[in-house]
């Protein structure tokens, strides 16, 4: 029999070997890879930790508010603090952000107020304008990637040196929108940093049921762009990888796809999901021991840069701000049906105009 032109098993093995996970810190916070240690000052390391703790505190308070009926949709971020905050920490002023519904912490980093975030969750029209170089979270899974490519292509055409950051999850990477976005960005060398937060589950569907690919990072190969997998619970590794990707994109080389391997340590959302119905307690406990704050906290404590008192004081300060923000959001004027119609249609037809008049008359009663 003639020799086959392609050794398929060898090819698949080669791809698996190429996309090895990047790591700097182990689970105990020890440095295991000095070669790619990022150039962050002590002050910057502490600042990054404070952003991660802020994200955790926002998660805890938002979960409580949701249970109290004070928020609408909320997607927990517990366990993804390094994946989210260390990656956006590598962005620069002028960079854009297009996130999904689990990416409010990155929007807060970009300048969104807590109050705006809460209004967005409550479906209030005043929560729709970020007021910063970012779009409010996209609810349609994966759609933000295509929008981000359009924005980045515009940046390139204008001659800007900034990039666009966009996030989705492992579930989003299975959407057709993602493949279209990667392909378009590759063809036009759009300055985009794609971050796939592989948190293990697309709602209740585990990652292994979504794709046979050994990694999600290797999906970049078909689009002709660089792809890299990083330990998403290792803040230093996430920052180092994202910083390099941003520099690549800003230099005009085109996009980069980053897979951050992390875990969603809670429900998909506060709208009735129960993760214990589709995952084991052993799996949850394993990932709890690997969660990012434990690791980064140990690293900073060993350097004498962080301690329990500092964290308690910071949590208290952040909690006070968040508690005031939910009160401010609740104090906003209640929305009217007439306002919904006015916001929806820039040029309302006669039938819509009549409905607006009818509702305004009722609202005046």
């Amino acid at each position: 029999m003639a020799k086959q032109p392609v050794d398929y098993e060898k090819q698949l093995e080669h791809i698996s070997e190429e996309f090895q996970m990047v790591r700097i810190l182990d689970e105990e916070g020890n440095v295991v890879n000095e070669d790619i240690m990022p150039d962050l000052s002590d002050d910057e390391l502490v600042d990054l930790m404070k952003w991660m703790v802020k994200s955790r505190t926002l998660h805890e308070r938002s979960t409580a508010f949701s249970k109290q009926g004070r928020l609408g949709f909320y997607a927990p971020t517990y366990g993804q603090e390094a994946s989210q905050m260390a990656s956006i920490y590598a962005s620069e002023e002028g960079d854009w952000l297009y996130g999904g519904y689990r990416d409010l912490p990155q929007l807060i980093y970009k300048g969104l107020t807590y109050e705006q975030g809460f209004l967005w969750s409550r479906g209030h029209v005043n929560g729709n304008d970020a007021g910063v170089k970012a779009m409010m979270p996209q609810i349609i899974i994966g759609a933000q990637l295509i929008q981000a490519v359009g924005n980045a292509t515009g940046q390139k055409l204008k001659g800007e040196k900034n990039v666009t950051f966009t996030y989705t999850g492992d579930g989003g990477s299975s959407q057709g929108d993602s493949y279209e976005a990667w392909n378009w960005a590759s063809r036009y060398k759009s300055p985009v940093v794609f971050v796939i937060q592989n948190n293990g589950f697309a709602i209740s569907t585990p990652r292994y049921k979504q794709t046979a690919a050994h990694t999600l990072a290797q999906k970049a190969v078909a689009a002709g762009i660089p792809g890299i997998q990083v330990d998403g619970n290792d803040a230093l590794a996430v920052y180092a990888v994202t910083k390099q990707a941003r520099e690549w994109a800003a230099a005009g080389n085109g996009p980069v796809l980053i897979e951050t391997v992390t875990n969603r340590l809670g429900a998909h959302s506060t709208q009735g999901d129960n993760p214990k119905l589709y995952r084991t307690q052993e799996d949850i406990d394993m990932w709890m021991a690997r969660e990012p704050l434990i690791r980064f906290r140990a690293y900073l404590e060993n350097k004498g840069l962080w301690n329990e008192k500092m964290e308690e004081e910071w949590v208290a300060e952040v909690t006070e701000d968040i508690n005031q923000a939910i009160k401010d959001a609740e104090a906003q004027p209640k929305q009217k049906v007439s306002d919904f119609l006015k916001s929806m249609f820039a040029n309302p037809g006669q039938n819509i105009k009549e409905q607006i008049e009818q509702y305004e008359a009722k609202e005046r009663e």
Side-chain angles (χ1 to χ4, degrees), residues 24-31 294-296 298-300 302:
I24 293 177
L25 299 177
D26 63 16
E27 284 80 359
E28 286 73 41
N30 301 309
V31 176
I294 292 176
R295 191 180 310 188
F296 199 44
Y299 171 73
L300 294 183
N302 289 336

Side-chain angles (χ1 to χ4, degrees), residues 249-264:
N253 298 306
V256 178
L257 188 153
I258 301 171
E259 175 193 359
T260 62
V261 180
T262 181
N263 195 264
R264 194 190 75 212

